[in-house]
Amino acid sequence: MLQHKDHFHGSDLEKIEQIYGIKKDEITSFSANVNPLGISPLLRETLARHIDAICSYPDREYLSLRKCIADYVNTDYENIIMGNGSTELISLLIQIQHPKKALIIGPTYSEYEREISLGGGTCLYYPLKEEQDFALNAEHFTAQLNESIDLVVICNPNNPTSSAITRKTMRHILDVCKQNDIFVMVDETYVEFADNYEEITSVPLTAFYNNIVILRGTSKFFAAPGLRLGYAITGNRDFIKLMNTRKNPWTINSLAVIAGEIMFQDKEYIQKTRKLISEERARIYQIFSKDNRFKVYPPSGNFMLVRLMSEGLTSNELFDRAIREKMMIRDCSTFPFLDNKYIRFCFMSQEMNDQLLSCLMQ
Ligand SMILES: Cc1ncc(COP(=O)(O)O)c(C=O)c1O
């Protein structure tokens, strides 16, 4: 068996091809957390017809796209700023805020820490507790906040735990952060997959709080990671001005603009995605809950964290077993606070999920 110290990011299929000799086109990625339905059919039908758009520069202000997104998330278009994937926005936000000390709720996506450290800031982690199913204890968390912290980072639903916090809890956190002059970055990359979307999205709070910026993208829910289309939502117009001053012009290309305008309006595809993920999430969670070789945590996103309870079975072994059957899962041993007893996988079609289940549960 191959021992890989390095973890594979959900998109590292090239690396797998090199190491395992399996063609990347043959691998089903259960680790990229991308909608299994592929791109919106409306987008597939329409985009090619707009190819001539690349002959001109996109609108520098992205007005029409921002209006589409504002309709989609139910806010004012002036609260929206576009980015080349949410990755560009994470980076910009951190460069502008330039936190000396940031508090990240973890285990979580590693890009926040990388970006904060690159800017010379210190990252502290507030650990979610396994005994509490990785759900946040908001009272305990807010008691740790003080004026020495400049930035709080919350991924909601969180990658890799798939746990989520409600808007009510978020409001409490924002109040305490406001008192301590702390800015809050909320990454909602996975929020559209949640059954209780209305209860957990923080978008309505941007009308009342000026210390929150929400990040969203199209890579996961709209299955378009290659498009590099992300956006941020904030009610803090001064912050948007700062972002615009700092940002390079035209980081969203003309085709991505048109793609965005089409996909956010494909209601049928959006509904179909939510239904598929909701059904598969409930079904697979149930199956794992009944098997005492595994421990699962209630998932809100389109993926699930699983703890391996059998003695001797490691995440590395399961990764290896699945990849030999051309299925790639995430070995979570490199996440802070997790170890080689945790794996994560996303929900794909029912048939693919069944294939993964028989591989993992044999
Ligand atoms: C929580 C989270 N935020 C952001 C990203 C990056 O998203 P994008 O492709 O929009 O830059 C990822 C990708 O895996 C992620 O898991």
Side-chain angles (χ1 to χ4, degrees):
M1 193 180 73
L2 266 158
Q3 293 294 325
H4 55 87
K5 283 242 161 39
D6 242 5
H7 73 271
F8 295 99
H9 180 260
S11 58
D12 284 343
L13 296 179
E14 288 79 7
K15 225 167 162 185
I16 294 284
E17 189 168 299
Q18 273 173 16
I19 298 178
Y20 285 88
I22 304 170
K23 287 207 176 67
K24 67 175 182 181
D25 301 342
E26 295 174 8
I27 298 170
T28 304
S29 178
F30 286 87
S31 72
N33 298 342
V34 170
N35 179 350
L37 294 180
I39 58 169
S40 134
L42 197 59
L43 177 62
R44 187 182 301 282
E45 279 162 31
T46 332
L47 190 60
R49 266 189 257 142
H50 294 277
I51 190 71
D52 289 328
I54 60 174
C55 300
S56 18
Y57 279 94
D59 166 16
R60 226 179 144 115
E61 308 263 316
Y62 297 111
L63 213 58
S64 134
L65 176 58
R66 282 163 59 216
K67 285 184 174 165
C68 272
I69 295 174
D71 273 355
Y72 176 67
V73 301
N74 201 11
T75 189
D76 190 312
Y77 78 92
E78 291 192 48
N79 295 341
I80 308 273
I81 182 161
M82 301 308 305
N84 191 262
S86 55
T87 302
E88 184 191 19
L89 295 162
I90 293 172
S91 172
L92 256 178
L93 186 151
I94 289 169
Q95 282 170 31
I96 290 168
Q97 281 304 114
H98 199 65
K100 285 198 186 65
K101 196 158 137 192
L103 184 61
I104 305 174
I105 298 181
T108 193
Y109 187 52
S110 58
E111 212 41 34
Y112 319 125
E113 178 181 347
R114 192 185 75 89
E115 204 54 64
I116 292 163
S117 304
L118 278 176
T122 306
C123 293
L124 303 177
Y125 275 96
Y126 176 84
L128 296 168
K129 309 254 177 341
E130 195 276 339
E131 318 82 83
Q132 292 163 2
D133 280 353
F134 296 106
L136 180 73
N137 177 339
E139 282 311 317
H140 188 265
F141 172 68
T142 47
Q144 320 301 311
L145 298 173
N146 59 60
E147 284 183 351
S148 76
I149 298 162
D150 322 289
L151 178 73
V152 157
V153 181
I154 304 174
C155 184
N156 194 36
N158 185 39
N159 174 12
T161 57
S162 214
S163 48
I165 59 176
T166 63
R167 186 157 64 249
K168 193 164 166 242
T169 301
M170 190 68 83
R171 187 183 295 164
H172 175 53
I173 293 172
L174 287 172
D175 281 333
V176 180
C177 284
K178 189 86 194 143
Q179 285 156 21
N180 289 287
D181 203 16
I182 300 171
F183 205 76
V184 183
M185 174 167 100
V186 180
D187 185 341
E188 289 195 353
T189 290
Y190 297 104
V191 76
E192 292 128 292
F193 290 109
D195 282 335
N196 56 345
Y197 168 86
E198 287 300 341
E199 222 185 317
I200 69 174
T201 179
S202 293
V203 172
L205 299 178
T206 58
F208 309 105
Y209 292 87
N210 65 359
N211 60 335
I212 178 172
V213 170
I214 300 168
L215 305 177
R216 294 266 193 104
T218 56
S219 299
K220 311 297 183 179
F221 189 85
F222 289 96
L227 197 63
R228 310 308 306 136
L229 183 63
Y231 54 99
I233 308 151
T234 180
N236 186 331
R237 298 277 162 86
D238 293 336
F239 191 74
I240 289 196
K241 265 193 212 127
L242 273 175
M243 293 271 257
N244 279 326
T245 312
R246 191 75 180 240
K247 209 169 168 300
N248 288 326
W250 308 301
T251 55
I252 315 300
N253 68 71
S254 313
L255 280 182
V257 170
I258 293 167
E261 289 175 8
I262 299 167
M263 65 170 80
F264 289 115
Q265 297 183 49
D266 193 343
K267 295 217 165 61
E268 199 181 323
Y269 165 81
I270 292 170
Q271 271 315 103
K272 220 169 141 186
T273 301
R274 289 174 58 84
K275 184 167 181 290
L276 170 70
I277 297 301
S278 176
E279 286 171 0
E280 285 305 286
R281 176 170 47 218
R283 185 176 77 88
I284 293 160
Y285 179 69
Q286 272 298 315
I287 296 174
F288 272 93
S289 306
K290 288 186 191 134
D291 189 326
N292 60 13
R293 293 173 299 167
F294 303 97
K295 181 169 175 196
V296 281
Y297 309 95
S300 295
N302 61 327
F303 54 87
M304 194 166 86
L305 183 70
V306 178
R307 185 174 176 198
L308 313 175
M309 304 305 279
S310 309
E311 224 173 286
L313 182 63
T314 65
S315 52
N316 189 191
E317 266 169 67
L318 273 194
F319 176 91
D320 194 76
R321 191 196 292 169
I323 200 69
R324 286 176 197 283
E325 293 186 30
K326 301 182 178 170
M327 293 178 285
M328 181 166 164
I329 59 167
R330 178 68 152 89
D331 169 354
C332 291
S333 55
T334 53
F335 277 99
F337 314 114
L338 300 183
D339 57 23
N340 66 358
K341 299 301 270 183
Y342 291 91
I343 58 166
R344 186 200 69 201
F345 54 83
C346 62
F347 308 115
M348 303 293 281
S349 67
Q350 184 175 351
E351 195 188 352
M352 287 172 178
N353 294 336
D354 284 342
Q355 213 177 318
L356 182 69
L357 291 194
S358 37
C359 168
L360 298 179
M361 296 183 130
Q362 53 186 253

